[in-house]
Amino acid sequence: MESLAASKWTNSLLYLTLILSTVFLLHSQIATNLLVGHHPLRLKRSPDLPLRFRDDGTFKILQVADMHFGTGMVTRCRDVLPSEFDYCSDLNTTRFVRRMIELEKPDFIAFTGDNIFGSSTTDAAESLLRAFGPAMDSEIPWAAVLGNHDQESTMTREELMSFISLMDYSVSQVNPWADVPANYVELPKRRKIDGFGNYDLQVYGPPGSVLANDSVMHLYFLDSGDREVVQGRRTYGWIKESQLHWLRGVSKRNKVSRMPINPALAFFHIPIPEIPQLYYQKIVGQFQEGVACSLVNPGVLKTFVSMGDVKAVFMGHDHTNDFCGTLNDIWFCYGGGSGYHGYGKPGWPRRVRVISAELGKGEMSWRGVERIRTWKRLDDKGLFTKIDEQVLWELQQSS
């Protein structure tokens, strides 16, 4: 009996050891391989800040509009030539964006919405990691706003912007912080404002120059929403009054500077209702489809005119429009669709926009921003043709 009891005890001990070993092995595997998009969990890699002009007095931005990224290799292209379709996927978008970063060597990358095509993915976080992969791999500072399709998968707009703000080298923000008194000791809170992805980024002068500690240009990012219903009619979203009120305050504070002119550029996804007027005016680029804007006119153009600092606005949404045109002396420019899973036009190459700001040169030092130029690059069979180069704004020197 004692031998039988000892045998049972030994078997139980071995069984318990097996269970504990299995649990330990599983715990070790989970702990060491906790993944977010197949990347080990770790701290965010941050870019060198603040954003700065180069030593040669230039600051270059790459605008990437409407990537419409799905899941990668298995996500097929839309609106390409029959000869291109069989081997075309999201990877074409990735290769194009990566090649543009290598070619143009921007100081900053701006993604202007519909970064992912929510309905084509069951994992928004994974798609975001893949879509923004070229920007993160480049270690260049980048920022994004949302379009009307980003939230159609597994994350809300707030969750999307929060996730984007935590990605490597991203300087995106969920929303601005509320103003608090100097003696405020509690944790800061987000300002109550419509949308997610409203923020202001400052660009400083070249390192070691007299402008090194001065903000010489601002980049305004705004959430233009997705879809809404107005008086029973479905329409696209729009920039709300709470956002414009915040932006007017930011612009007013930015003018408290020793720089005579502190120009700003604005970035958002859905065009404003005045854009169709440009069909009857001189433009640079192509106007190939109707403007898909909101039925509601919130007064964005009027606000920009009253602020006085916004010199150019960069949008997405309408993929086969890639033109620039002026409204009340402010340039409004489409990026043109960059993504192969988004709709396009067969034979019409995907494209990106480049914006270059240039400082004026004094006798002994740099002055403020003197000129803002733009051009586009095409994904045209490896040529990456540069087209439609133009000056958007130039400082008028007093005589």
Side-chain angles (χ1 to χ4, degrees):
M1 292 294 292
E2 291 181 3
S3 175
L4 180 61
S7 176
K8 288 183 177 179
W9 187 87
T10 301
N11 289 338
S12 297
L13 182 61
L14 289 172
Y15 184 64
L16 180 61
T17 302
L18 178 63
I19 291 175
L20 291 175
S21 299
T22 302
V23 170
F24 177 78
L25 179 63
L26 289 172
H27 178 270
S28 300
Q29 289 294 318
I30 293 171
T32 57
N33 294 288
L34 181 60
L35 300 182
V36 178
H38 304 308
H39 294 279
L41 189 65
R42 53 173 172 71
L43 293 176
K44 169 184 174 178
R45 293 190 179 103
S46 297
D48 292 332
L49 293 175
L51 301 176
R52 287 193 179 279
F53 276 73
R54 302 178 190 179
D55 289 328
D56 65 358
T58 63
F59 185 82
K60 186 187 286 187
I61 301 169
L62 177 68
Q63 181 199 0
V64 181
D66 296 274
M67 287 190 293
H68 278 249
F69 202 92
T71 57
M73 184 181 296
V74 298
T75 302
R76 308 308 299 170
C77 297
R78 295 178 60 186
D79 298 332
V80 295
L81 296 172
S83 59
E84 300 170 324
F85 182 78
D86 288 343
Y87 304 99
C88 190
S89 71
D90 276 336
L91 300 187
N92 289 62
T93 304
T94 298
R95 281 193 291 267
F96 179 42
V97 174
R98 194 181 304 279
R99 187 69 185 92
M100 289 301 93
I101 294 172
E102 294 170 352
L103 180 65
E104 287 288 354
K105 296 179 174 56
D107 303 290
F108 178 76
I109 307 168
F111 295 93
T112 50
D114 281 358
N115 311 293
I116 63 173
F117 198 19
S119 60
S120 293
T121 176
T122 57
D123 188 339
E126 176 69 19
S127 291
L128 287 171
L129 286 164
R130 294 189 180 198
F132 295 128
M136 292 189 289
D137 291 343
S138 74
E139 303 183 7
I140 294 170
W142 62 275
V145 290
L146 301 177
N148 53 293
H149 288 296
D150 292 281
Q151 79 291 335
E152 293 173 346
S153 181
T154 56
M155 300 172 78
T156 65
R157 294 178 76 80
E158 182 176 11
E159 290 168 344
L160 286 164
M161 279 310 304
S162 179
F163 189 81
I164 290 170
S165 72
L166 295 173
M167 295 173 76
D168 286 348
Y169 304 104
S170 169
V171 293
S172 310
Q173 298 173 27
V174 178
N175 264 337
W177 297 105
D179 296 327
V180 296
N183 59 351
Y184 192 79
V185 294
E186 296 182 21
L187 289 174
K189 297 180 179 179
R190 296 284 181 188
R191 181 184 292 271
K192 291 183 178 180
I193 186 173
D194 285 285
F196 300 98
N198 304 286
Y199 50 101
D200 164 39
L201 299 177
Q202 302 180 57
V203 187
Y204 285 74
S209 72
V210 295
L211 298 178
N213 297 320
D214 289 308
S215 171
V216 296
M217 187 172 72
H218 286 260
L219 309 176
Y220 298 145
F221 291 81
L222 294 163
D223 181 6
S224 55
D226 50 272
R227 290 275 193 173
E228 305 216 15
V229 176
V230 178
Q231 297 179 345
R233 298 177 64 185
R234 196 160 183 251
T235 186
Y236 284 108
W238 64 91
I239 296 168
K240 307 295 197 303
E241 173 55 33
S242 65
Q243 298 165 271
L244 296 177
H245 176 76
W246 162 76
L247 190 62
R248 286 190 288 265
V250 170
S251 176
K252 185 176 181 180
R253 288 194 296 273
N254 290 345
K255 290 174 183 174
V256 183
S257 167
R258 67 191 184 96
M259 303 304 301
I261 295 180
N262 206 330
L265 307 176
F267 300 85
F268 50 83
H269 183 69
I270 298 174
I272 62 174
E274 289 88 349
I275 297 300
Q277 298 173 21
L278 295 173
Y279 186 79
Y280 305 99
Q281 300 180 27
K282 183 179 179 180
I283 59 174
V284 179
Q286 298 183 60
F287 198 139
Q288 300 187 114
E289 64 175 298
V291 176
C293 58
S294 176
L295 296 172
V296 177
N297 191 332
V300 174
L301 178 59
K302 182 179 179 181
T303 296
F304 286 168
V305 171
S306 69
M307 287 162 50
D309 57 348
V310 176
K311 307 305 178 187
V313 177
F314 302 93
M315 315 163 294
H317 193 51
D318 302 324
H319 303 183
T320 61
N321 289 339
D322 73 342
F323 63 83
C324 288
T326 55
L327 295 167
N328 294 71
D329 296 324
I330 299 173
W331 282 94
F332 286 79
C333 297
Y334 278 103
S338 67
Y340 279 84
H341 187 50
Y343 76 86
K345 186 177 178 181
W348 196 70
R350 265 58 174 186
R351 57 203 60 208
V352 296
R353 180 173 291 281
V354 181
I355 306 123
S356 178
E358 303 165 9
L359 298 177
K361 183 71 172 176
E363 291 184 9
M364 301 292 293
S365 61
W366 293 111
R367 297 193 298 264
V369 178
E370 184 175 81
R371 186 180 301 105
I372 299 171
R373 298 184 299 125
T374 188
W375 58 89
K376 297 185 291 273
R377 289 278 187 184
L378 309 183
D379 193 9
D380 51 352
K381 298 182 179 179
L383 297 176
F384 307 117
T385 304
K386 181 179 182 180
I387 65 169
D388 294 339
E389 185 169 3
Q390 64 179 115
V391 174
L392 295 175
W393 176 79
E394 198 160 18
L395 180 65
Q396 300 300 314
Q397 303 290 345
S398 57
S399 56

